[in-house]
Amino acid sequence: MPSTVKGVVALSKGAPVELVDVVVPDPGPFEAVVDVQACGVCHTDLHYREGGISDDYPFLLGHEAAGVVSAVGEAVTDVAVGDYVVLNWRAVCGSCRACRRGRPWYCFATHNAEQKMTLADGTPLSPALGIGAFAEKTLVHAGQCTKVDPALPASAAGLLGCGIMAGFGAAVNTGAVTRGDSVAVIGCGGVGDAAIAGAKLAGATTVIAVDVDDRKLEVAKRFGATHTVNSRTGGDAVEQIRALTGGNGADVVVEAVGRPETYKQAFYARDLAGTVVLVGVPTPQMTLELPLLDVFGRGGALKSSWYGDCLPERDFPMLAALALQGRFPLQDFVTETVGLGDVEAAFAAMGRGDVLRSVVVL
């Protein structure tokens, strides 16, 4: 029998979200229903509400989630009822050209549930990033369920599903930060701080946090930043980063804002033959202009990081284990816990820079 649950929906562009009835069908082949226990409030959900992703309204928001599998469809073998899982939005296919080349983190045919969740009147919903977890239950492809140690609280575990993985992976997977490296991270929200924590864990000796908000820079120190730069009041950020790295620039610069001006800062703040990693998500209207001679002459690598270039089945359990061992400060990313009816207020707090992560707890 389909279930009717409460969920947070963006009905039209820019309108406040609403808590409404959502119909969740029984799982079909390769699908699973998950009882959501917690879901982080990510900036991507606000992008959906504002029409920055697509105009396929109405959207069922929420995607940074952990919960327990409550039903599975036919042909599901990797998860079972009762499994504690973190939801991922890049369930790899295993057969596309990227997967066949041994690069499944670039999978071009990731899986989502075939069936649609709907409003009570039958209107199909578009689940955010194929998940839609601001709801008591959600329907996903079984491959989107990644088992982790149930000792990890859901309020923290869910964050592995997006922002923490994106930032950590940008530094460790995409940027390949290693011991002795110098690293600069531009933008110290949840993703940027996860990149800082990842760089520290990987052995970077200099980790420079860059932001325009002194509150965020103070928080960044807790995650491993050895130096901070306020690019609004502390002078030119590029020159500050160079001064902190012997005049050379950083080995790896992670850009976690997604704007042309901060990307240029990242480009010029890296050492010769250094690496720039773009993990901040730009809007479709943004463009970038750089002198081609500088691109050629500075060498190195300019990379984009998709979901931290992660493999959920490899990386989620690893980060969960590190968190439980006290080696990765996952719980520290949770600023507040709220209810399903508080998502709009959580968006406002995020916009003011008051929180690192608000987490909806069901």
Side-chain angles (χ1 to χ4, degrees):
M1 284 284 293
S3 302
T4 299
V5 301
K6 292 296 183 183
V8 177
V9 173
L11 293 172
S12 60
K13 183 176 181 178
V17 299
E18 297 184 27
L19 185 61
V20 300
D21 286 338
V22 171
V23 178
V24 181
D26 290 334
F30 303 104
E31 293 176 342
V33 171
V34 175
D35 291 350
V36 179
Q37 294 183 348
C39 185
V41 181
C42 176
H43 205 276
T44 300
D45 293 303
L46 184 57
H47 278 323
Y48 272 104
R49 195 200 73 175
E50 297 300 304
I53 306 292
S54 76
D55 59 358
D56 196 16
Y57 293 91
F59 294 112
L60 176 59
L61 300 181
H63 60 278
E64 241 181 23
V68 174
V69 176
S70 58
V72 297
E74 296 178 9
V76 174
T77 59
D78 290 340
V79 294
V81 172
D83 283 344
Y84 180 65
V85 297
V86 173
L87 300 182
N88 74 77
W89 48 268
R90 286 187 64 80
V92 302
C93 72
S95 58
C96 72
R97 62 190 187 278
C99 289
R100 291 197 307 269
R101 294 177 67 196
R103 301 173 181 175
W105 46 89
Y106 294 139
C107 178
F108 301 114
T110 53
H111 294 304
N112 294 126
E114 290 288 334
Q115 299 182 89
K116 287 286 190 179
M117 294 178 279
T118 69
L119 296 175
D121 64 3
T123 301
L125 289 164
S126 299
L129 292 176
I131 292 177
F134 286 154
E136 294 163 327
K137 293 177 180 286
T138 192
L139 176 76
V140 294
H141 189 281
Q144 294 180 270
C145 299
T146 305
K147 291 184 282 189
V148 299
D149 191 328
L152 188 64
S155 59
L159 303 186
L160 296 174
C162 186
I164 302 305
M165 189 66 255
F168 179 92
V172 176
N173 295 337
T174 315
V177 173
T178 190
R179 57 191 181 277
D181 277 352
S182 58
V183 178
V185 177
I186 301 176
C188 298
V191 172
D193 282 344
I196 288 168
K200 176 186 177 183
L201 188 66
T205 51
T206 301
V207 183
I208 304 164
V210 183
D211 205 281
V212 298
D213 188 332
D214 284 332
R215 296 174 301 171
K216 291 185 177 181
L217 292 172
E218 283 301 313
V219 172
K221 292 178 184 177
R222 301 207 307 262
F223 291 102
T226 59
H227 304 80
T228 62
V229 172
N230 187 316
S231 56
R232 177 175 290 161
T233 63
D236 181 78
V238 173
E239 292 304 318
Q240 293 293 313
I241 292 169
R242 287 179 176 168
L244 292 166
T245 54
N248 301 316
D251 297 310
V252 179
V253 184
V254 176
E255 200 281 324
V257 180
R259 296 189 60 85
E261 55 268 35
T262 45
Y263 187 88
K264 286 183 179 181
Q265 288 177 329
F267 179 82
Y268 287 109
R270 67 186 175 126
D271 196 359
L272 289 174
T275 299
V276 173
V277 177
L278 175 64
V279 67
V281 181
T283 65
Q285 297 78 26
M286 291 178 179
T287 60
L288 177 69
E289 183 175 337
L290 286 169
L292 190 57
L293 183 60
D294 285 356
V295 175
F296 173 79
R298 296 183 66 81
L302 308 178
K303 297 183 175 183
S304 297
S305 186
W306 299 349
Y307 205 5
D309 290 348
C310 78
L311 283 175
E313 66 270 24
R314 175 194 68 191
D315 293 334
F316 289 8
M318 176 267 295
L319 281 172
L322 290 174
L324 288 169
Q325 293 165 13
R327 298 166 62 195
F328 187 78
L330 184 59
Q331 190 67 49
D332 292 349
F333 287 88
V334 181
T335 306
E336 64 173 3
T337 57
V338 299
L340 268 179
D342 302 318
V343 169
E344 194 66 35
F347 283 155
M350 181 171 59
R352 294 191 302 268
D354 293 345
V355 296
L356 196 55
R357 264 302 186 270
S358 301
V359 178
V360 174
V361 174
L362 290 91

mmCIF file with all atom_site columns, all heavy atoms in Angstrom, residues 26 42 48-49 56 90 117-118 122 130 156 188 193 211 233 243 259 289 292 314 331 334 357:
data_model
loop_
_atom_site.group_PDB
_atom_site.id
_atom_site.type_symbol
_atom_site.label_atom_id
_atom_site.label_alt_id
_atom_site.label_comp_id
_atom_site.label_asym_id
_atom_site.label_entity_id
_atom_site.label_seq_id
_atom_site.pdbx_PDB_ins_code
_atom_site.Cartn_x
_atom_site.Cartn_y
_atom_site.Cartn_z
_atom_site.occupancy
_atom_site.B_iso_or_equiv
_atom_site.pdbx_formal_charge
_atom_site.auth_seq_id
_atom_site.auth_comp_id
_atom_site.auth_asym_id
_atom_site.auth_atom_id
_atom_site.pdbx_PDB_model_num
ATOM 1   N N   . ASP A 1 26  ? 4.738  2.031  -3.104  1.00 0.00 ? 26  ASP A N   1
ATOM 2   C CA  . ASP A 1 26  ? 5.518  0.848  -2.729  1.00 0.00 ? 26  ASP A CA  1
ATOM 3   C C   . ASP A 1 26  ? 6.695  0.719  -3.705  1.00 0.00 ? 26  ASP A C   1
ATOM 4   O O   . ASP A 1 26  ? 6.577  1.067  -4.885  1.00 0.00 ? 26  ASP A O   1
ATOM 5   C CB  . ASP A 1 26  ? 4.659  -0.411 -2.794  1.00 0.00 ? 26  ASP A CB  1
ATOM 6   C CG  . ASP A 1 26  ? 3.606  -0.441 -1.699  1.00 0.00 ? 26  ASP A CG  1
ATOM 7   O OD1 . ASP A 1 26  ? 3.834  0.192  -0.648  1.00 0.00 ? 26  ASP A OD1 1
ATOM 8   O OD2 . ASP A 1 26  ? 2.553  -1.075 -1.908  1.00 0.00 ? 26  ASP A OD2 1
ATOM 9   N N   . CYS A 1 42  ? 20.691 21.952 2.957   1.00 0.00 ? 42  CYS A N   1
ATOM 10  C CA  . CYS A 1 42  ? 21.816 22.297 2.084   1.00 0.00 ? 42  CYS A CA  1
ATOM 11  C C   . CYS A 1 42  ? 21.424 23.463 1.173   1.00 0.00 ? 42  CYS A C   1
ATOM 12  O O   . CYS A 1 42  ? 20.244 23.635 0.831   1.00 0.00 ? 42  CYS A O   1
ATOM 13  C CB  . CYS A 1 42  ? 22.195 21.070 1.258   1.00 0.00 ? 42  CYS A CB  1
ATOM 14  S SG  . CYS A 1 42  ? 23.485 21.341 0.038   1.00 0.00 ? 42  CYS A SG  1
ATOM 15  N N   . TYR A 1 48  ? 17.031 24.886 -5.600  1.00 0.00 ? 48  TYR A N   1
ATOM 16  C CA  . TYR A 1 48  ? 15.827 24.302 -6.188  1.00 0.00 ? 48  TYR A CA  1
ATOM 17  C C   . TYR A 1 48  ? 14.626 25.224 -5.985  1.00 0.00 ? 48  TYR A C   1
ATOM 18  O O   . TYR A 1 48  ? 13.871 25.492 -6.927  1.00 0.00 ? 48  TYR A O   1
ATOM 19  C CB  . TYR A 1 48  ? 15.531 22.940 -5.557  1.00 0.00 ? 48  TYR A CB  1
ATOM 20  C CG  . TYR A 1 48  ? 16.212 21.772 -6.221  1.00 0.00 ? 48  TYR A CG  1
ATOM 21  C CD1 . TYR A 1 48  ? 17.319 21.161 -5.637  1.00 0.00 ? 48  TYR A CD1 1
ATOM 22  C CD2 . TYR A 1 48  ? 15.747 21.255 -7.417  1.00 0.00 ? 48  TYR A CD2 1
ATOM 23  C CE1 . TYR A 1 48  ? 17.943 20.071 -6.240  1.00 0.00 ? 48  TYR A CE1 1
ATOM 24  C CE2 . TYR A 1 48  ? 16.355 20.164 -8.029  1.00 0.00 ? 48  TYR A CE2 1
ATOM 25  C CZ  . TYR A 1 48  ? 17.455 19.586 -7.430  1.00 0.00 ? 48  TYR A CZ  1
ATOM 26  O OH  . TYR A 1 48  ? 18.072 18.515 -8.031  1.00 0.00 ? 48  TYR A OH  1
ATOM 27  N N   . ARG A 1 49  ? 14.448 25.701 -4.771  1.00 0.00 ? 49  ARG A N   1
ATOM 28  C CA  . ARG A 1 49  ? 13.296 26.568 -4.493  1.00 0.00 ? 49  ARG A CA  1
ATOM 29  C C   . ARG A 1 49  ? 13.307 27.820 -5.353  1.00 0.00 ? 49  ARG A C   1
ATOM 30  O O   . ARG A 1 49  ? 12.266 28.306 -5.807  1.00 0.00 ? 49  ARG A O   1
ATOM 31  C CB  . ARG A 1 49  ? 13.288 26.968 -3.009  1.00 0.00 ? 49  ARG A CB  1
ATOM 32  C CG  . ARG A 1 49  ? 11.962 27.557 -2.539  1.00 0.00 ? 49  ARG A CG  1
ATOM 33  C CD  . ARG A 1 49  ? 12.113 28.372 -1.259  1.00 0.00 ? 49  ARG A CD  1
ATOM 34  N NE  . ARG A 1 49  ? 12.791 29.647 -1.507  1.00 0.00 ? 49  ARG A NE  1
ATOM 35  C CZ  . ARG A 1 49  ? 12.971 30.589 -0.595  1.00 0.00 ? 49  ARG A CZ  1
ATOM 36  N NH1 . ARG A 1 49  ? 12.543 30.391 0.638   1.00 0.00 ? 49  ARG A NH1 1
ATOM 37  N NH2 . ARG A 1 49  ? 13.597 31.708 -0.897  1.00 0.00 ? 49  ARG A NH2 1
ATOM 38  N N   . ASP A 1 56  ? 11.286 22.386 -13.007 1.00 0.00 ? 56  ASP A N   1
ATOM 39  C CA  . ASP A 1 56  ? 10.414 21.214 -12.987 1.00 0.00 ? 56  ASP A CA  1
ATOM 40  C C   . ASP A 1 56  ? 9.645  21.125 -11.672 1.00 0.00 ? 56  ASP A C   1
ATOM 41  O O   . ASP A 1 56  ? 9.689  20.114 -10.960 1.00 0.00 ? 56  ASP A O   1
ATOM 42  C CB  . ASP A 1 56  ? 11.254 19.956 -13.218 1.00 0.00 ? 56  ASP A CB  1
ATOM 43  C CG  . ASP A 1 56  ? 10.425 18.738 -13.605 1.00 0.00 ? 56  ASP A CG  1
ATOM 44  O OD1 . ASP A 1 56  ? 9.255  18.929 -13.987 1.00 0.00 ? 56  ASP A OD1 1
ATOM 45  O OD2 . ASP A 1 56  ? 10.955 17.614 -13.522 1.00 0.00 ? 56  ASP A OD2 1
ATOM 46  N N   . ARG A 1 90  ? 24.459 9.912  -6.426  1.00 0.00 ? 90  ARG A N   1
ATOM 47  C CA  . ARG A 1 90  ? 25.164 9.432  -7.615  1.00 0.00 ? 90  ARG A CA  1
ATOM 48  C C   . ARG A 1 90  ? 25.376 7.916  -7.476  1.00 0.00 ? 90  ARG A C   1
ATOM 49  O O   . ARG A 1 90  ? 26.490 7.450  -7.231  1.00 0.00 ? 90  ARG A O   1
ATOM 50  C CB  . ARG A 1 90  ? 26.486 10.155 -7.821  1.00 0.00 ? 90  ARG A CB  1
ATOM 51  C CG  . ARG A 1 90  ? 26.299 11.573 -8.326  1.00 0.00 ? 90  ARG A CG  1
ATOM 52  C CD  . ARG A 1 90  ? 27.607 12.249 -8.708  1.00 0.00 ? 90  ARG A CD  1
ATOM 53  N NE  . ARG A 1 90  ? 28.292 11.608 -9.817  1.00 0.00 ? 90  ARG A NE  1
ATOM 54  C CZ  . ARG A 1 90  ? 27.986 11.782 -11.095 1.00 0.00 ? 90  ARG A CZ  1
ATOM 55  N NH1 . ARG A 1 90  ? 26.975 12.570 -11.417 1.00 0.00 ? 90  ARG A NH1 1
ATOM 56  N NH2 . ARG A 1 90  ? 28.679 11.185 -12.041 1.00 0.00 ? 90  ARG A NH2 1
ATOM 57  N N   . MET A 1 117 ? 7.003  9.926  -6.631  1.00 0.00 ? 117 MET A N   1
ATOM 58  C CA  . MET A 1 117 ? 6.185  10.335 -5.496  1.00 0.00 ? 117 MET A CA  1
ATOM 59  C C   . MET A 1 117 ? 5.289  11.479 -5.966  1.00 0.00 ? 117 MET A C   1
ATOM 60  O O   . MET A 1 117 ? 5.639  12.202 -6.913  1.00 0.00 ? 117 MET A O   1
ATOM 61  C CB  . MET A 1 117 ? 7.073  10.755 -4.330  1.00 0.00 ? 117 MET A CB  1
ATOM 62  C CG  . MET A 1 117 ? 7.887  9.599  -3.762  1.00 0.00 ? 117 MET A CG  1
ATOM 63  S SD  . MET A 1 117 ? 9.025  10.063 -2.404  1.00 0.00 ? 117 MET A SD  1
ATOM 64  C CE  . MET A 1 117 ? 10.411 10.730 -3.351  1.00 0.00 ? 117 MET A CE  1
ATOM 65  N N   . THR A 1 118 ? 4.166  11.658 -5.313  1.00 0.00 ? 118 THR A N   1
ATOM 66  C CA  . THR A 1 118 ? 3.190  12.643 -5.796  1.00 0.00 ? 118 THR A CA  1
ATOM 67  C C   . THR A 1 118 ? 2.605  13.449 -4.644  1.00 0.00 ? 118 THR A C   1
ATOM 68  O O   . THR A 1 118 ? 2.717  13.065 -3.469  1.00 0.00 ? 118 THR A O   1
ATOM 69  C CB  . THR A 1 118 ? 2.024  11.956 -6.542  1.00 0.00 ? 118 THR A CB  1
ATOM 70  O OG1 . THR A 1 118 ? 1.231  11.216 -5.601  1.00 0.00 ? 118 THR A OG1 1
ATOM 71  C CG2 . THR A 1 118 ? 2.526  11.035 -7.633  1.00 0.00 ? 118 THR A CG2 1
ATOM 72  N N   . GLY A 1 122 ? -2.246 13.653 -6.911  1.00 0.00 ? 122 GLY A N   1
ATOM 73  C CA  . GLY A 1 122 ? -1.627 12.896 -7.992  1.00 0.00 ? 122 GLY A CA  1
ATOM 74  C C   . GLY A 1 122 ? -0.580 13.656 -8.783  1.00 0.00 ? 122 GLY A C   1
ATOM 75  O O   . GLY A 1 122 ? 0.044  13.076 -9.688  1.00 0.00 ? 122 GLY A O   1
ATOM 76  N N   . GLY A 1 130 ? 17.193 13.616 -6.945  1.00 0.00 ? 130 GLY A N   1
ATOM 77  C CA  . GLY A 1 130 ? 16.702 12.244 -7.027  1.00 0.00 ? 130 GLY A CA  1
ATOM 78  C C   . GLY A 1 130 ? 16.423 11.607 -5.688  1.00 0.00 ? 130 GLY A C   1
ATOM 79  O O   . GLY A 1 130 ? 16.267 10.384 -5.613  1.00 0.00 ? 130 GLY A O   1
ATOM 80  N N   . ALA A 1 156 ? 24.195 13.536 12.156  1.00 0.00 ? 156 ALA A N   1
ATOM 81  C CA  . ALA A 1 156 ? 25.525 13.712 11.566  1.00 0.00 ? 156 ALA A CA  1
ATOM 82  C C   . ALA A 1 156 ? 25.691 12.848 10.318  1.00 0.00 ? 156 ALA A C   1
ATOM 83  O O   . ALA A 1 156 ? 26.244 13.297 9.310   1.00 0.00 ? 156 ALA A O   1
ATOM 84  C CB  . ALA A 1 156 ? 26.604 13.367 12.583  1.00 0.00 ? 156 ALA A CB  1
ATOM 85  N N   . CYS A 1 188 ? 34.115 29.317 3.388   1.00 0.00 ? 188 CYS A N   1
ATOM 86  C CA  . CYS A 1 188 ? 34.153 28.458 4.579   1.00 0.00 ? 188 CYS A CA  1
ATOM 87  C C   . CYS A 1 188 ? 32.768 28.169 5.128   1.00 0.00 ? 188 CYS A C   1
ATOM 88  O O   . CYS A 1 188 ? 32.487 28.354 6.313   1.00 0.00 ? 188 CYS A O   1
ATOM 89  C CB  . CYS A 1 188 ? 35.057 29.093 5.645   1.00 0.00 ? 188 CYS A CB  1
ATOM 90  S SG  . CYS A 1 188 ? 36.767 29.252 5.102   1.00 0.00 ? 188 CYS A SG  1
ATOM 91  N N   . ASP A 1 193 ? 34.571 23.937 4.940   1.00 0.00 ? 193 ASP A N   1
ATOM 92  C CA  . ASP A 1 193 ? 35.123 23.413 6.187   1.00 0.00 ? 193 ASP A CA  1
ATOM 93  C C   . ASP A 1 193 ? 35.399 21.921 6.095   1.00 0.00 ? 193 ASP A C   1
ATOM 94  O O   . ASP A 1 193 ? 36.339 21.406 6.714   1.00 0.00 ? 193 ASP A O   1
ATOM 95  C CB  . ASP A 1 193 ? 34.181 23.712 7.351   1.00 0.00 ? 193 ASP A CB  1
ATOM 96  C CG  . ASP A 1 193 ? 34.285 25.153 7.822   1.00 0.00 ? 193 ASP A CG  1
ATOM 97  O OD1 . ASP A 1 193 ? 35.274 25.834 7.469   1.00 0.00 ? 193 ASP A OD1 1
ATOM 98  O OD2 . ASP A 1 193 ? 33.381 25.613 8.545   1.00 0.00 ? 193 ASP A OD2 1
ATOM 99  N N   . ASP A 1 211 ? 37.575 33.724 3.655   1.00 0.00 ? 211 ASP A N   1
ATOM 100 C CA  . ASP A 1 211 ? 36.151 34.052 3.640   1.00 0.00 ? 211 ASP A CA  1
ATOM 101 C C   . ASP A 1 211 ? 36.017 35.543 3.890   1.00 0.00 ? 211 ASP A C   1
ATOM 102 O O   . ASP A 1 211 ? 37.008 36.238 4.158   1.00 0.00 ? 211 ASP A O   1
ATOM 103 C CB  . ASP A 1 211 ? 35.390 33.246 4.708   1.00 0.00 ? 211 ASP A CB  1
ATOM 104 C CG  . ASP A 1 211 ? 33.918 33.062 4.376   1.00 0.00 ? 211 ASP A CG  1
ATOM 105 O OD1 . ASP A 1 211 ? 33.143 34.011 4.597   1.00 0.00 ? 211 ASP A OD1 1
ATOM 106 O OD2 . ASP A 1 211 ? 33.537 31.994 3.868   1.00 0.00 ? 211 ASP A OD2 1
ATOM 107 N N   . THR A 1 233 ? 38.364 42.448 4.385   1.00 0.00 ? 233 THR A N   1
ATOM 108 C CA  . THR A 1 233 ? 39.014 43.459 5.238   1.00 0.00 ? 233 THR A CA  1
ATOM 109 C C   . THR A 1 233 ? 40.512 43.239 5.403   1.00 0.00 ? 233 THR A C   1
ATOM 110 O O   . THR A 1 233 ? 41.210 44.116 5.910   1.00 0.00 ? 233 THR A O   1
ATOM 111 C CB  . THR A 1 233 ? 38.369 43.450 6.634   1.00 0.00 ? 233 THR A CB  1
ATOM 112 O OG1 . THR A 1 233 ? 38.590 42.175 7.258   1.00 0.00 ? 233 THR A OG1 1
ATOM 113 C CG2 . THR A 1 233 ? 36.881 43.730 6.557   1.00 0.00 ? 233 THR A CG2 1
ATOM 114 N N   . ALA A 1 243 ? 51.835 35.133 0.638   1.00 0.00 ? 243 ALA A N   1
ATOM 115 C CA  . ALA A 1 243 ? 52.689 35.497 1.773   1.00 0.00 ? 243 ALA A CA  1
ATOM 116 C C   . ALA A 1 243 ? 52.768 34.363 2.790   1.00 0.00 ? 243 ALA A C   1
ATOM 117 O O   . ALA A 1 243 ? 53.802 34.170 3.445   1.00 0.00 ? 243 ALA A O   1
ATOM 118 C CB  . ALA A 1 243 ? 52.168 36.769 2.431   1.00 0.00 ? 243 ALA A CB  1
ATOM 119 N N   . ARG A 1 259 ? 31.909 31.230 -7.870  1.00 0.00 ? 259 ARG A N   1
ATOM 120 C CA  . ARG A 1 259 ? 31.751 32.539 -8.517  1.00 0.00 ? 259 ARG A CA  1
ATOM 121 C C   . ARG A 1 259 ? 33.008 32.852 -9.331  1.00 0.00 ? 259 ARG A C   1
ATOM 122 O O   . ARG A 1 259 ? 34.118 32.468 -8.943  1.00 0.00 ? 259 ARG A O   1
ATOM 123 C CB  . ARG A 1 259 ? 31.507 33.639 -7.492  1.00 0.00 ? 259 ARG A CB  1
ATOM 124 C CG  . ARG A 1 259 ? 30.202 33.482 -6.709  1.00 0.00 ? 259 ARG A CG  1
ATOM 125 C CD  . ARG A 1 259 ? 29.914 34.725 -5.879  1.00 0.00 ? 259 ARG A CD  1
ATOM 126 N NE  . ARG A 1 259 ? 29.784 35.898 -6.716  1.00 0.00 ? 259 ARG A NE  1
ATOM 127 C CZ  . ARG A 1 259 ? 28.658 36.271 -7.334  1.00 0.00 ? 259 ARG A CZ  1
ATOM 128 N NH1 . ARG A 1 259 ? 27.568 35.541 -7.215  1.00 0.00 ? 259 ARG A NH1 1
ATOM 129 N NH2 . ARG A 1 259 ? 28.634 37.361 -8.080  1.00 0.00 ? 259 ARG A NH2 1
ATOM 130 N N   . GLU A 1 289 ? 36.586 34.618 -17.640 1.00 0.00 ? 289 GLU A N   1
ATOM 131 C CA  . GLU A 1 289 ? 37.572 35.016 -18.639 1.00 0.00 ? 289 GLU A CA  1
ATOM 132 C C   . GLU A 1 289 ? 38.946 35.047 -17.982 1.00 0.00 ? 289 GLU A C   1
ATOM 133 O O   . GLU A 1 289 ? 39.144 35.702 -16.955 1.00 0.00 ? 289 GLU A O   1
ATOM 134 C CB  . GLU A 1 289 ? 37.238 36.391 -19.220 1.00 0.00 ? 289 GLU A CB  1
ATOM 135 C CG  . GLU A 1 289 ? 38.190 36.823 -20.326 1.00 0.00 ? 289 GLU A CG  1
ATOM 136 C CD  . GLU A 1 289 ? 37.780 38.126 -20.983 1.00 0.00 ? 289 GLU A CD  1
ATOM 137 O OE1 . GLU A 1 289 ? 36.583 38.471 -20.913 1.00 0.00 ? 289 GLU A OE1 1
ATOM 138 O OE2 . GLU A 1 289 ? 38.651 38.795 -21.569 1.00 0.00 ? 289 GLU A OE2 1
ATOM 139 N N   . LEU A 1 292 ? 44.689 33.323 -21.762 1.00 0.00 ? 292 LEU A N   1
ATOM 140 C CA  . LEU A 1 292 ? 45.071 31.963 -22.121 1.00 0.00 ? 292 LEU A CA  1
ATOM 141 C C   . LEU A 1 292 ? 46.553 31.721 -21.872 1.00 0.00 ? 292 LEU A C   1
ATOM 142 O O   . LEU A 1 292 ? 46.952 30.597 -21.511 1.00 0.00 ? 292 LEU A O   1
ATOM 143 C CB  . LEU A 1 292 ? 44.727 31.692 -23.592 1.00 0.00 ? 292 LEU A CB  1
ATOM 144 C CG  . LEU A 1 292 ? 44.842 30.245 -24.058 1.00 0.00 ? 292 LEU A CG  1
ATOM 145 C CD1 . LEU A 1 292 ? 43.976 29.315 -23.209 1.00 0.00 ? 292 LEU A CD1 1
ATOM 146 C CD2 . LEU A 1 292 ? 44.450 30.133 -25.529 1.00 0.00 ? 292 LEU A CD2 1
ATOM 147 N N   . ARG A 1 314 ? 32.420 3.244  -0.911  1.00 0.00 ? 314 ARG A N   1
ATOM 148 C CA  . ARG A 1 314 ? 33.780 3.263  -0.378  1.00 0.00 ? 314 ARG A CA  1
ATOM 149 C C   . ARG A 1 314 ? 33.960 4.365  0.659   1.00 0.00 ? 314 ARG A C   1
ATOM 150 O O   . ARG A 1 314 ? 34.510 4.145  1.743   1.00 0.00 ? 314 ARG A O   1
ATOM 151 C CB  . ARG A 1 314 ? 34.773 3.473  -1.523  1.00 0.00 ? 314 ARG A CB  1
ATOM 152 C CG  . ARG A 1 314 ? 36.232 3.643  -1.110  1.00 0.00 ? 314 ARG A CG  1
ATOM 153 C CD  . ARG A 1 314 ? 37.076 4.194  -2.264  1.00 0.00 ? 314 ARG A CD  1
ATOM 154 N NE  . ARG A 1 314 ? 36.730 5.571  -2.585  1.00 0.00 ? 314 ARG A NE  1
ATOM 155 C CZ  . ARG A 1 314 ? 37.171 6.209  -3.676  1.00 0.00 ? 314 ARG A CZ  1
ATOM 156 N NH1 . ARG A 1 314 ? 37.931 5.574  -4.558  1.00 0.00 ? 314 ARG A NH1 1
ATOM 157 N NH2 . ARG A 1 314 ? 36.818 7.474  -3.894  1.00 0.00 ? 314 ARG A NH2 1
ATOM 158 N N   . GLN A 1 331 ? 30.268 15.515 13.716  1.00 0.00 ? 331 GLN A N   1
ATOM 159 C CA  . GLN A 1 331 ? 29.190 16.073 14.524  1.00 0.00 ? 331 GLN A CA  1
ATOM 160 C C   . GLN A 1 331 ? 29.315 17.583 14.666  1.00 0.00 ? 331 GLN A C   1
ATOM 161 O O   . GLN A 1 331 ? 28.312 18.290 14.845  1.00 0.00 ? 331 GLN A O   1
ATOM 162 C CB  . GLN A 1 331 ? 29.178 15.413 15.910  1.00 0.00 ? 331 GLN A CB  1
ATOM 163 C CG  . GLN A 1 331 ? 27.957 15.737 16.756  1.00 0.00 ? 331 GLN A CG  1
ATOM 164 C CD  . GLN A 1 331 ? 26.659 15.156 16.199  1.00 0.00 ? 331 GLN A CD  1
ATOM 165 O OE1 . GLN A 1 331 ? 26.585 13.981 15.864  1.00 0.00 ? 331 GLN A OE1 1
ATOM 166 N NE2 . GLN A 1 331 ? 25.635 15.995 16.092  1.00 0.00 ? 331 GLN A NE2 1
ATOM 167 N N   . VAL A 1 334 ? 27.080 20.121 12.675  1.00 0.00 ? 334 VAL A N   1
ATOM 168 C CA  . VAL A 1 334 ? 25.665 20.319 13.002  1.00 0.00 ? 334 VAL A CA  1
ATOM 169 C C   . VAL A 1 334 ? 25.535 21.505 13.947  1.00 0.00 ? 334 VAL A C   1
ATOM 170 O O   . VAL A 1 334 ? 25.937 21.434 15.110  1.00 0.00 ? 334 VAL A O   1
ATOM 171 C CB  . VAL A 1 334 ? 25.060 19.058 13.648  1.00 0.00 ? 334 VAL A CB  1
ATOM 172 C CG1 . VAL A 1 334 ? 23.582 19.286 13.966  1.00 0.00 ? 334 VAL A CG1 1
ATOM 173 C CG2 . VAL A 1 334 ? 25.235 17.842 12.723  1.00 0.00 ? 334 VAL A CG2 1
ATOM 174 N N   . ARG A 1 357 ? 25.357 24.028 9.501   1.00 0.00 ? 357 ARG A N   1
ATOM 175 C CA  . ARG A 1 357 ? 24.305 23.162 8.995   1.00 0.00 ? 357 ARG A CA  1
ATOM 176 C C   . ARG A 1 357 ? 23.152 23.107 9.988   1.00 0.00 ? 357 ARG A C   1
ATOM 177 O O   . ARG A 1 357 ? 23.347 22.813 11.175  1.00 0.00 ? 357 ARG A O   1
ATOM 178 C CB  . ARG A 1 357 ? 24.805 21.736 8.787   1.00 0.00 ? 357 ARG A CB  1
ATOM 179 C CG  . ARG A 1 357 ? 25.250 21.371 7.387   1.00 0.00 ? 357 ARG A CG  1
ATOM 180 C CD  . ARG A 1 357 ? 24.178 21.559 6.328   1.00 0.00 ? 357 ARG A CD  1
ATOM 181 N NE  . ARG A 1 357 ? 24.620 21.070 5.045   1.00 0.00 ? 357 ARG A NE  1
ATOM 182 C CZ  . ARG A 1 357 ? 25.266 21.794 4.131   1.00 0.00 ? 357 ARG A CZ  1
ATOM 183 N NH1 . ARG A 1 357 ? 25.542 23.059 4.371   1.00 0.00 ? 357 ARG A NH1 1
ATOM 184 N NH2 . ARG A 1 357 ? 25.609 21.249 2.963   1.00 0.00 ? 357 ARG A NH2 1
#
